[in-house]
Amino acid sequence: MPVVQVEGVRKSFGAVEVLKGIDLTVERGEVIAIIGRSGSGKSTLLRCINGLEGIQAGRIEVSGHKLDASGRGLRDLRKDVGIVFQSYNLFPHLRVGENIMLAPRVVLGVGKAEARQRAEEALAEVGLAERFEAWPDNLSGGQQQRVAIARSLAMKPKVMLFDEVTSALDPELTGEVLQTMERLAQHGMTMLLVTHEMAFARRVATQTIFMHQGKVWEVGPSERIFGAPQTPELRQFLGTGLK
Amino acid sequence: MIRTFSESEFLFIVSSARWTLLLTLLSLLLGGLLGFIVALARTSQLAPLRMLAAGWIGMIQGIPVLMLLFLSYYGLSMGGVDMPPIVAASVSMAIYASAYLGEIWRGSIQSVAWQQWEASAALAMSRAQQYRYVILPQAVRIAVAPTVGFIVQLVKNTSIVSIIGVVELARAGNLVNNATFAPFKVFGTVAAVYFIICWPISLLARRLEGKLNARRSG
């Protein structure tokens, strides 16, 4: 059974339809990159998958949790879906370790000792084991983003969503975050990422989806999408986007 | 007969400050509780609750405290409810405080970055958990300074209840002045007592603010 199943999803902001019937399947252990121009609906699609945006039509199912236009079952679904944002969004009033332990403790009801262990494991996974007691404000952007990844990991999600997570970082810091993501992929995490890092998508993603004008325009193994694009739109996008 | 401003007059003024303090405390507790509910309603996802809270804030802020006082003291006694002046005073000051504190705290809650709501929602927190663990702890920091500013206002505004016969600090000063005709000594004393009440509150606020900010990047 696929981890994520998206069928005929439509989404409008007012009169503007940004998703015009999206179908998408993510199998366990797959890493799927979503590329496309700004405004092509790729971030919106990601945000719909964990219910941060409601949908007008269609169906989204994540590891057995159904999400439809009514929005029921949202919290159960979110327990299985981690998301990392462009702007990190750590909780500034909590130390790094507390940031990570909070949701397992209050949402999953995990005991203090286990929450701490989860947090330490997650921090180790992103290479920041020694920053448990640090304040978010004292970390670099790249470190904050890795803590945000650890915070999601501690919930032990079935799938992780990454929404342009390196767009706010300079090249050096981008590298450390991408390395972290690549390691996650190697450890078998199912991942869906919206990105402008074409080289990373090509190397790490098993499949790449090109979105254009609110539709899945072209989809296939990353090697083929980047090596032999079929549609003129994708060719043009890669021609200007990949130097 | 004109009395001199001596120790007993001085003590009378100082001891009447207990009513000022009691009134401030009661209106703060009651008004704070009500104001917290108003702030939550004002930031609710339910439109009717938001409108109700906005209506309450608008109405109370649009009415002079004096009218609230007259309404709860004379108005209710006309309706057969006989309220001791101190109760009427506390109730009307609490209602007044609820609107202002509600508005201050609404602003503080809304000053917390909206991404904090999103990040906590994405971690499957319920609305109550988001408030309890993520939003309110950050809103409190923002709220300290304006809340203390309002409390100092509240201490001074309690003087208005002298009008329905509560002998608090201002009223005591007035009474003593009528008997002694020593306005500089009398009202100097009254002003000094108000200052002694308000100054530590401001100091405490500054320390609290410093402490909260230090915790964040310590």
Side-chain angles (χ1 to χ4, degrees):
Chain A
M1 202 187 105
V3 181
V4 178
Q5 224 171 345
V6 173
E7 276 175 27
V9 163
R10 288 177 176 275
K11 163 80 185 170
S12 305
F13 290 112
V16 185
E17 192 170 42
V18 286
L19 297 179
K20 300 171 182 167
I22 301 284
D23 298 304
L24 169 70
T25 306
V26 186
E27 298 290 342
R28 181 181 302 275
E30 262 192 318
V31 176
I32 297 191
I34 305 174
I35 60 172
R37 285 195 188 82
S38 302
S40 59
K42 54 194 195 308
S43 278
T44 305
L45 172 61
L46 212 60
R47 294 165 58 80
C48 286
I49 291 176
N50 77 340
L52 285 176
E53 303 285 355
I55 56 176
Q56 270 83 48
R59 213 173 60 85
I60 294 174
E61 195 172 327
V62 183
S63 65
H65 307 293
K66 292 183 186 66
L67 196 64
D68 51 28
S70 78
R72 276 193 297 268
L74 197 55
R75 286 189 62 207
D76 282 331
L77 178 141
R78 283 175 175 163
K79 288 176 191 169
D80 285 339
V81 184
I83 186 165
V84 182
F85 304 94
Q86 183 179 329
S87 53
Y88 337 133
N89 304 345
L90 296 181
F91 305 133
H93 61 296
L94 298 177
R95 290 174 193 270
V96 163
E98 297 165 332
N99 257 276
I100 303 173
M101 294 192 297
L102 179 60
R105 290 211 63 186
V106 307
V107 174
L108 304 180
V110 159
K112 194 165 190 176
E114 200 204 321
R116 192 176 172 98
Q117 197 191 338
R118 279 190 185 205
E120 283 167 352
E121 281 170 15
L123 270 181
E125 177 83 5
V126 301
L128 288 173
E130 76 288 2
R131 305 315 299 269
F132 195 91
E133 296 292 335
W135 292 100
D137 284 357
N138 295 347
L139 301 180
S140 72
Q143 290 174 326
Q144 287 191 49
Q145 194 58 295
R146 284 148 68 197
V147 172
I149 293 172
R151 184 173 66 178
S152 278
L153 286 179
M155 293 292 280
K156 301 201 190 292
K158 302 274 186 349
V159 55
M160 287 279 286
L161 312 176
F162 295 87
D163 187 9
E164 296 192 32
V165 294
T166 58
S167 298
L169 300 170
D170 63 41
E172 194 185 350
L173 300 180
T174 294
E176 68 181 54
V177 172
L178 291 182
Q179 274 171 23
T180 302
M181 290 164 67
E182 192 164 355
R183 191 160 61 222
L184 275 185
Q186 283 161 1
H187 291 179
M189 177 58 77
T190 309
M191 293 164 52
L192 198 54
L193 46 113
V194 166
T195 186
H196 290 298
E197 300 289 336
M198 297 303 155
F200 179 78
R202 184 172 191 166
R203 189 174 76 249
V204 178
T206 47
Q207 300 258 326
T208 293
I209 291 171
F210 172 60
M211 282 187 68
H212 186 64
Q213 295 179 348
K215 290 181 186 141
V216 172
W217 204 259
E218 202 171 325
V219 58
S222 302
E223 209 41 55
R224 206 206 73 213
I225 290 289
F226 290 101
Q230 306 293 306
T231 57
E233 289 80 6
L234 177 55
R235 275 198 291 274
Q236 195 195 345
F237 175 73
L238 292 176
T240 53
L242 188 72
K243 281 275 186 280
Chain B
M1 193 190 90
I2 296 178
R3 295 168 57 165
T4 52
F5 183 72
S6 62
E7 197 188 328
S8 69
E9 281 75 21
F10 177 77
L11 286 177
F12 174 65
I13 289 176
V14 171
S15 67
S16 63
R18 69 183 189 274
W19 294 108
T20 298
L21 284 172
L22 180 71
L23 205 57
T24 305
L25 211 66
L26 281 177
S27 46
L28 203 58
L29 284 177
L30 230 70
L33 194 70
L34 196 56
F36 185 61
I37 295 169
V38 169
L40 290 184
R42 193 71 183 75
T43 53
S44 162
Q45 287 174 311
L46 303 171
L49 271 183
R50 281 201 305 273
M51 278 160 60
L52 205 68
W56 175 260
I57 291 169
M59 186 179 77
I60 302 304
Q61 290 194 343
I63 300 174
V65 197
L66 193 60
M67 294 307 123
L68 292 176
L69 197 61
F70 285 168
L71 279 170
S72 57
Y73 186 57
Y74 299 117
L76 286 179
S77 70
M78 291 285 283
V81 185
D82 207 9
M83 268 211 247
I86 184 71
V87 176
S90 301
V91 168
S92 46
M93 293 304 288
I95 289 172
Y96 155 74
S98 76
Y100 283 87
L101 289 175
E103 185 69 358
I104 288 170
W105 294 342
R106 172 201 63 82
S108 307
I109 289 170
Q110 288 180 342
S111 300
V112 176
W114 63 269
Q115 288 95 336
Q116 294 286 310
W117 286 103
E118 199 167 86
S120 47
L123 289 165
M125 288 189 207
S126 67
R127 184 101 175 149
Q129 290 168 339
Q130 289 179 288
Y131 268 114
R132 165 75 181 78
Y133 297 106
V134 177
I135 304 302
L136 291 182
Q138 296 183 61
V140 164
R141 273 159 227 257
I142 303 166
V144 168
T147 302
V148 171
F150 176 75
I151 293 173
V152 170
Q153 291 292 321
L154 190 64
V155 172
K156 293 183 285 188
N157 283 346
T158 53
S159 61
I160 204 166
V161 307
S162 59
I163 242 162
I164 57 170
V166 178
V167 184
E168 41 62 73
L169 197 48
R171 174 83 171 151
N174 222 345
L175 291 175
V176 171
N177 184 52
N178 288 345
T180 61
F181 295 108
F184 282 109
K185 282 182 195 162
V186 171
F187 292 115
T189 307
V190 170
V193 176
Y194 273 118
F195 179 78
I196 288 167
I197 296 173
C198 294
W199 177 242
I201 300 176
S202 306
L203 270 188
L204 186 74
R206 215 167 305 160
R207 275 192 43 190
L208 206 62
E209 240 182 323
K211 217 173 116 191
L212 287 173
N213 286 332
R215 248 211 75 194
R216 188 173 163 153
S217 53

